[in-house]
Amino acid sequence: MSFEVAAVRRQFPILSAAIDGKPVHYLDNGASAQTPEAVLDAVRTYETTARANVLRGVHRLAERATEAYENARAEVAGFLSVAPDEVVFTGGCTAAINLVAFSYGSLLQAGDRIILSELEHHSNIVPWQLLRQRHGVEIDVIPVTVAGRIDLNALPRLLTERTKLISLAHVSNVTGALLDVHAVVTLARTVGAKVMLDGAQRIPHGPVDVPALGVDFYVFAGHKAYGPNGIGALWARPEHLAAMPPFHGGGSMIGRVTFAETTWAEPPRRFEAGTPPIGPAIGLGAACTWMRGLDWKGAHAHEMALVERVMDGLQKIDGAQLFGPPGLQSRYPVVSFTLDGVHPHDVAQTLDSFGVAVRAGHHCCQPLMDRFDLDGTTRVSLAPYNDESDIDALLTGVEHAARMLR
Amino acid sequence: MNDQLYQERIVALAKAKTGAGKLAAPTKSARRDNPLCGDRVTIDVRLDEGGRIAELAHQVRGCLLCQASASALASVAVGSKAADIERLRLDAERAVGREEGEAREPFSAFAPVKAHKSRQDCVLLPFEALKEALS
């Protein structure tokens, strides 16, 4: 098994499709990645040979659907090196964080403290603010260094006996910085705080050995990991899932319903009220299997070589400023930059005219933008299927924007 | 390469920065944000005794389209009342294809934005801020 980018590209139909007559250089993977044939096939197979509701019917299609759905859970669990019944399917990463904030949050007391960081995505800020409104918990914020990393030197002084949870991005969606999870977990244990990681930007770059991280909760999104939209996953330690009350009520999540009293199903079912997104879950399972088949040592080296090409190229363009870690260590393939005197949306719009798709703006990280007094950044986020031609088109477009719009 | 959006007239309007800055003693001010893209426009106006705009200044933290629109608005707003500003807004909406009819100068410059639906609010944000300042 060795890494060959052309062979990976061939598995993604959209990469060879013409968009307005030209192929697209897709560098917006941090927002949504593209999806391979293996995922499309898995969803189509379900829809055409097994479409039915899960966990209810006794007919053959229902049994096939249930089997495919639970197999998908096992595939996701395998990707995280955890047990299948510790994996909850959710509507996405945001939904998973909201689930934890609501259900685990309801076990907290007024005055308990939660620690976030300045570089969190809004999805790892707002659910906790809602919990603060409902429950009177307090939020502490770890600052970010000038290199765009969570400043763990500041964490010890934020820890108190009332700190119950530290919830951080495993990899920043703006700077690509990788969190030093070991340091966070070690510090959290000194006060008995739990640790949750938002793995949305980490999962698309290879399997994660969650037990080895020593965290309590791990969440991620399907559509950023080559899977369908409308699906995500939460992993939690079984003792947490067992203690947590339901988030949503409805079918499937119950033990027994009477008007006097209703009992809950055991996890993970307790947290999957109603008909789940069956096809998307099956697609996510297929995406995890597809990812496990990739040579990640080779893929990561390839991705980081492209990051180096992006950084070297941008540094040669007058007015371009990199934002984030200055090197390749402890980072994933996300590069943010600004172009002096040109708004990021104008950079992105110009790049679109060169067939290059990037994201520009605040990246749902307004507190981080405020911290650095930025209107936004232009973000290049890579996947294993990107190649040098994508980067060269990007750099040509940025040079053009620098020449025409400054 | 299809580079139709950033045509010379739009870039020139943005770079002219007509009315960019603050007023020392505004009668009214208003700020509007576009939560989707983070663009932010603050508009100061000084009104005369008849309620007409005597002076207008804007601060734009936003894209070139928003800057160009604020600049175009500042170039024609002096002497206007709220109802006149609504007519100017109609011109901008016509230019970007949200309303039927032909846009007049200077807003006709924004015709290339017709093809970029996600950017049309960038052009209209300064009007939102001015409307609030005059309300």
Side-chain angles (χ1 to χ4, degrees):
Chain A
M1 189 169 69
S2 67
F3 184 80
E4 192 206 333
V5 65
V8 175
R9 290 181 70 81
R10 281 196 293 275
Q11 298 176 57
F12 287 77
I14 206 166
L15 298 179
S16 55
I19 311 297
D20 291 337
K22 282 187 300 190
V24 67
H25 296 286
Y26 193 77
L27 298 172
D28 193 18
N29 297 286
S32 246
Q34 298 301 342
T35 197
E37 292 280 12
V39 170
L40 298 167
D41 286 349
V43 175
R44 185 172 171 79
T45 298
Y46 160 71
E47 298 290 356
T48 55
T49 69
R51 183 180 163 95
N53 212 327
V54 291
L55 305 168
R56 288 164 200 175
V58 295
H59 55 79
R60 275 166 294 169
L61 287 182
E63 290 200 342
R64 279 186 190 181
T66 302
E67 188 182 349
Y69 181 68
E70 292 304 328
N71 282 345
R73 194 191 307 278
E75 286 165 344
V76 173
F79 195 74
L80 304 176
S81 298
V82 300
D85 59 7
E86 297 165 8
V87 172
V88 178
F89 281 126
T90 64
C93 194
T94 297
I97 297 173
N98 275 277
L99 191 165
V100 176
F102 185 92
S103 296
Y104 184 74
S106 72
L107 304 174
L108 303 182
Q109 309 295 320
D112 283 346
R113 308 188 78 87
I114 290 165
I115 295 179
L116 310 173
S117 88
E118 222 167 19
L119 62 64
E120 297 311 309
H121 190 283
H122 296 164
S123 63
N124 193 28
I125 298 174
V126 184
W128 306 110
Q129 292 175 323
L130 294 173
L131 177 65
R132 179 170 65 187
Q133 284 174 7
R134 278 197 310 273
H135 234 66
V137 301
E138 305 288 339
I139 295 172
D140 297 304
V141 182
I142 314 175
V144 168
T145 68
V146 287
R149 292 187 186 278
I150 297 173
D151 184 3
L152 294 182
N153 291 326
L155 179 54
R157 67 173 175 269
L158 295 176
L159 290 169
T160 73
E161 291 302 316
R162 297 301 300 268
T163 303
K164 299 299 177 192
L165 181 72
I166 303 173
S167 184
L168 302 172
H170 195 177
V171 168
S172 163
N173 68 314
V174 178
T175 70
L178 173 69
L179 181 69
D180 182 348
V181 179
H182 178 71
V184 173
V185 169
T186 303
L187 285 167
R189 283 184 181 151
T190 63
V191 295
K194 309 295 184 258
V195 176
M196 176 156 103
L197 295 184
D198 167 1
Q201 299 294 332
R202 171 60 189 83
I203 288 291
H205 303 288
V208 174
D209 186 343
V210 170
L213 293 176
V215 298
D216 297 272
F217 301 93
Y218 200 94
V219 296
F220 71 96
H223 69 102
K224 295 187 200 293
Y226 321 106
N229 290 306
I231 188 75
L234 157 70
W235 169 83
R237 287 181 187 270
E239 62 267 31
H240 299 330
L241 289 176
M244 285 158 58
F247 179 29
H248 292 147
S252 296
M253 51 70 72
I254 50 95
R256 176 95 180 104
V257 177
T258 67
F259 279 106
E261 187 187 27
T262 291
T263 58
W264 320 132
E266 292 300 311
R269 208 80 68 224
R270 184 187 300 168
F271 304 102
E272 295 179 359
T275 298
I278 304 165
I282 289 165
L284 177 56
C288 286
T289 301
W290 179 83
M291 285 193 284
R292 287 174 95 183
L294 215 58
D295 162 21
W296 280 103
K297 197 167 168 224
H300 190 67
H302 167 71
E303 288 178 328
M304 296 315 287
L306 294 181
V307 167
E308 196 169 14
R309 196 179 181 89
V310 173
M311 292 173 75
D312 286 351
L314 287 174
Q315 277 164 338
K316 290 181 190 138
I317 296 173
D318 193 26
Q321 315 269 359
L322 291 165
F323 175 64
L328 302 180
Q329 292 304 307
S330 297
R331 82 179 291 167
Y332 274 76
V334 176
V335 182
S336 267
F337 68 95
T338 57
L339 191 57
D340 290 347
V342 185
H343 193 277
H345 282 152
D346 298 321
V347 177
Q349 191 85 58
T350 302
L351 287 172
D352 179 62
S353 68
F354 282 79
V356 178
V358 296
R359 173 81 182 269
H362 53 61
H363 312 295
C364 297
C365 290
Q366 286 179 336
L368 181 66
M369 298 296 121
D370 290 347
R371 156 74 173 81
F372 289 96
D373 195 28
L374 291 169
D375 293 336
T377 69
T378 303
R379 180 187 71 180
V380 179
S381 52
L382 303 170
Y385 45 67
N386 287 123
D387 63 14
E388 292 183 353
S389 78
D390 296 331
I391 307 308
D392 295 345
L394 165 84
L395 295 171
T396 303
V398 176
E399 277 169 11
H400 181 84
R403 216 169 36 245
M404 302 304 291
L405 300 180
R406 286 185 76 207
Chain B
M1 190 204 65
N2 166 20
D3 199 10
Q4 290 172 342
L5 180 59
Y6 298 108
Q7 290 185 356
E8 243 173 64
R9 288 178 66 201
I10 294 182
V11 176
L13 277 169
K15 289 190 174 172
K17 295 185 184 295
T18 308
K22 292 180 184 178
L23 294 185
T27 317
K28 287 182 170 179
S29 294
R31 190 183 91 190
R32 286 299 286 259
D33 289 81
N34 180 342
L36 290 180
C37 65
D39 281 358
R40 169 176 292 182
V41 177
T42 307
I43 288 203
D44 294 344
V45 285
R46 188 171 64 77
L47 302 176
D48 66 16
E49 287 166 0
R52 291 180 187 277
I53 297 172
E55 262 187 299
L56 180 149
H58 57 81
Q59 298 163 267
V60 176
R61 283 197 72 157
C63 66
L64 188 123
L65 297 179
C66 193
Q67 292 171 33
S69 173
S71 186
L73 182 56
S75 72
V76 293
V78 171
S80 300
K81 285 187 161 184
D84 305 318
I85 297 300
E86 285 304 304
R87 279 193 287 277
L88 295 176
R89 184 194 168 104
L90 181 62
D91 267 343
E93 291 189 337
R94 283 174 165 161
V96 302
R98 288 210 178 165
E99 291 291 343
E100 294 287 319
E102 195 144 329
R104 292 168 301 172
E105 287 287 326
F107 298 102
S108 55
F110 293 98
V113 188
K114 263 183 202 166
H116 299 273
K117 202 161 188 246
S118 65
R119 304 298 301 280
Q120 291 168 3
D121 284 335
C122 306
V123 176
L124 299 175
L125 195 63
F127 287 92
E128 297 286 330
L130 180 55
K131 187 177 179 179
E132 197 171 309
L134 295 176
S135 67

